[in-house]
Amino acid sequence: SRAVTGQLDRADLLDTIHLQLARLLDVRHLVILLHDAGSDRLDVALRVVDGVRRDGEPQSYPRVEMGLAGIVLHTGRALRTGDYEGECARRGVVPSREVDHE
């Protein structure tokens, strides 16, 4: 938490979150989304696939198209799964095209 709270720059904060989550939780796949309440869209702030950060053009999606992220936003509770598509099916949401299913 000290590493994260010491960051004021958004890019540095995202780098720190990526490094610390990978170190502490052995996270290999990660997407951090920022919610724009005015448009009810989710903006991709950080994407990590197989432990590698994938930077590129920022992407934005309607909240209803973001699969489990919409559930997390609605409930306010974190969700971790090893079976993304199965968890989507159990919760009755369509898997996001943003998630790498490989």
Side-chain angles (χ1 to χ4, degrees), residues 7 36 44 46-48 67:
Q7 300 296 329
D36 180 336
V44 177
L46 174 67
R47 179 185 302 105
V48 177

Side-chain angles (χ1 to χ4, degrees), residues 4-91:
V4 171
T5 57
Q7 300 296 329
L8 296 178
D9 177 71
R10 179 175 156 177
D12 290 342
L13 176 62
L14 291 171
D15 286 339
T16 301
I17 290 171
H18 171 220
L19 293 172
Q20 296 302 323
L21 282 176
R23 184 179 66 81
L24 294 171
L25 301 176
D26 192 29
V27 172
R28 307 261 324 133
H29 304 280
L30 169 71
V31 175
I32 293 181
L33 304 164
L34 301 176
H35 182 234
D36 180 336
S39 65
D40 202 23
R41 296 183 69 82
L42 297 172
D43 300 324
V44 177
L46 174 67
R47 179 185 302 105
V48 177
V49 177
D50 264 341
V52 178
R53 185 169 174 161
R54 290 197 177 170
D55 292 322
E57 292 295 316
Q59 295 183 3
S60 179
Y61 300 94
R63 180 182 51 85
V64 297
E65 293 180 12
M66 287 305 294
L68 295 178
I71 299 287
V72 170
L73 183 62
H74 177 73
T75 64
R77 287 188 263 167
L79 175 64
R80 183 175 177 164
T81 181
D83 180 11
Y84 178 78
E85 291 180 357
E87 190 67 27
C88 284
R90 282 187 288 283
R91 293 178 182 261

